[in-house]
Each structure stands twice: as C-alpha cells, then as structure tokens.
Amino acid sequence: MFIPSRRALVTGAGSGIGRAIAARLCAEGTAVFCVDRDPDGAARTAEDARRAGGRAEALPLDIADDAAVDGLASAVTASGLPGAGLDVLVNCAAVSDTTPTAELGPRDLRRVLDVNLVGTLAVTLALLPLLRASDSGRILMVSSIQGFAATTDTLAYAASKGGLIAATRALAADLADDGVLVNALAPGFVDTPMARLPDGTTEYETDLFRDVYVRHGKLPLRRPAQPEEIAEAALFLCSPRTTYLTGSVLTADGGLTAVF
C-alpha cells in the first residue's frame, strides 16, 4: 500500500499507458496530477479516477511548451490535492513517427524529440526541487524496447526513446545522494491508441504480426500487452518500498527481446 499523502504527476495521462498508470497509482491511494496536451483526455482520466474513489486533478499541458512547463511546479504546489510537494514523476507523454528514413527531415526529428526527449527532460528538471524534497522521490521514464532494439522507419522515435534510457542512467547518478531513484520502463507491443494504423485497425491485426509474432513465436506470449499490465510494472518502480533500484531499465515486452 502506498503512503496516503503521496502525490504523483503522470504526463501523457490522457490515454493509453499514461492513463493506466495514473489510474493504478490512484487505486493505491496516491493523489495524481493527470497531465496531457489533450484537455479532454486529462479531464476524463482524472474524473474516472475520482469516480473509482481516487484523488486526481487534470493539468492540461503540452510538455513541448517551455512556458507552460516553467509553471508546472507552481501549479503542483498550489493544488488542493491531499499531501504536499511531489513524490513521483512518471514521464509517459510521447508522439510516434514512422516516416521512412529516406524522407525524414529536421522538422520531423524536432517534432518527435521536442516531446519525447526534450519536453520530458524539461518537465523533469522543472520538478526536481519538489522531488528532492520528498522522503522517497521516484522518477520513471516510460521508454520502449525501440530504445535499444531497432525496427525500420522509426529513427526519430527510437532516438528519442534511446535518449530517455541514457538520461535515466545519468539522472540516477546525479540524484542518488538526494534519495531520488530514477528508472526506466521499456514496453514492447502494447494495445494503445498509438498503435492504430491509418485505416483504424491496429498493427496487431496485420498478417505480419499474426505470422511472425504469433504463429512463429517471435513474441513468446503471442499477444500485445494491455496498458493495465504495463501499469503494474510501473507501480513497482514507483513504490516507496522499491529502495535499491536506480538507473535500471525494466523490459515489459512479453519476451520479445529474449528470443531471436
């Protein structure tokens, strides 16, 4: 059970993995700030958490907006949510990109890196004073197996997620003396809105996925994860009881990177 007065902030909380993590933290008694650039998504997550008996507040915010990020710590401090300061930061906000590498330009790169890497680190730096003041500060970077295992036409996305893994290790070294533990979570295939193809189907419905990953066992569990399954792993890494884990990357990919 989490400490009732603990507070967490989850970026990308409007949908997918971020929404599931916010809901799971709330279910454990943590008060959660639900941050998303989609105001409606952030509000839905917070409202659903409150209906389930949790404590949550929506904070609509684009993490690529420097001015908005600069005011984030003040918004957390001024909030009426139970507790004070901030104990947990979950960086989950992200955008995807499958532009073929031959067509990728600087604008495409910046669009992805400004959110997935620069925006995430800006949020982290803005909230560091609050996390340092916590008795059990935790930072979780939601990366991806694409941060260390490549597929075609994912250069911008893979670079951003690999950068998060490097940042996790650097921050873990920097913040150890302050008692702030920093870890990364690397999901594989997850059934989220980001996995939708232009025609509305998911990549898991394609013949390629069914043939290579299911029939031939490239993915040992033979299915994508549900966001709630990833949230369980996140809960472990954010727990005040997890006290000797920092600078680590926990892979949650159904065995995908364990086989060849």
Side-chain angles (χ1 to χ4, degrees):
M1 180 69 71
F2 274 23
I3 301 168
S5 61
R6 278 172 71 80
R7 292 164 125 204
L9 185 146
V10 180
T11 69
S15 64
I17 295 173
R19 175 182 169 86
I21 292 174
R24 192 66 186 89
L25 287 168
C26 278
E28 287 291 322
T30 301
V32 178
F33 297 95
C34 303
V35 174
D36 202 282
R37 65 179 179 178
D38 174 13
D40 293 337
R44 279 193 300 270
T45 298
E47 183 178 355
D48 288 347
R50 290 192 295 267
R51 285 177 178 170
R55 297 164 297 177
E57 178 180 315
L59 285 180
L61 180 101
D62 182 350
I63 67 169
D65 182 340
D66 292 343
V69 170
D70 286 343
L72 191 53
S74 296
V76 169
T77 302
S79 169
L81 279 182
L86 191 69
D87 305 288
V88 177
L89 169 61
V90 179
N91 287 305
C92 194
V95 294
S96 63
D97 186 273
T98 56
T99 304
T101 299
E103 301 171 14
L104 198 67
R107 182 175 295 180
D108 303 304
L109 289 170
R110 291 192 183 96
R111 182 184 70 85
V112 177
L113 294 173
D114 281 351
V115 175
N116 297 8
L117 184 57
V118 178
T120 291
L121 294 181
V123 167
T124 303
L125 293 173
L127 296 175
L128 272 187
L130 298 179
L131 291 161
R132 281 188 167 116
S134 171
D135 291 335
S136 53
R138 301 287 184 269
I139 299 173
L140 176 61
M141 304 290 192
V142 180
S143 180
S144 167
I145 59 169
Q146 290 195 52
F148 51 80
T151 58
T152 58
D153 297 335
T154 60
L155 175 58
Y157 185 78
S160 70
K161 293 301 186 176
L164 285 184
I165 291 173
T168 295
R169 291 168 175 151
L171 282 167
D174 288 339
L175 300 177
D177 287 344
D178 297 312
V180 179
L181 307 186
V182 188
N183 292 289
L185 183 57
F189 290 110
V190 186
D191 191 4
T192 69
M194 193 178 286
R196 294 282 165 187
L197 300 173
D199 64 1
T201 61
T202 70
E203 58 188 318
Y204 318 121
E205 297 173 85
T206 63
D207 290 340
L208 175 65
F209 186 87
R210 288 170 176 161
D211 186 43
V212 175
Y213 294 102
V214 178
R215 295 190 188 98
H216 290 242
K218 172 60 178 171
L219 178 56
L221 292 187
R222 300 178 190 272
R223 62 172 179 83
Q226 293 303 307
E228 292 75 16
E229 294 177 291
I230 304 302
E232 289 295 333
L235 188 72
F236 166 71
L237 293 173
C238 294
S239 171
R241 291 195 233 175
T242 304
T243 56
Y244 203 68
L245 206 65
T246 196
S248 297
V249 182
L250 177 60
T251 302
D253 67 352
L256 179 62
T257 55
V259 301
F260 66 90

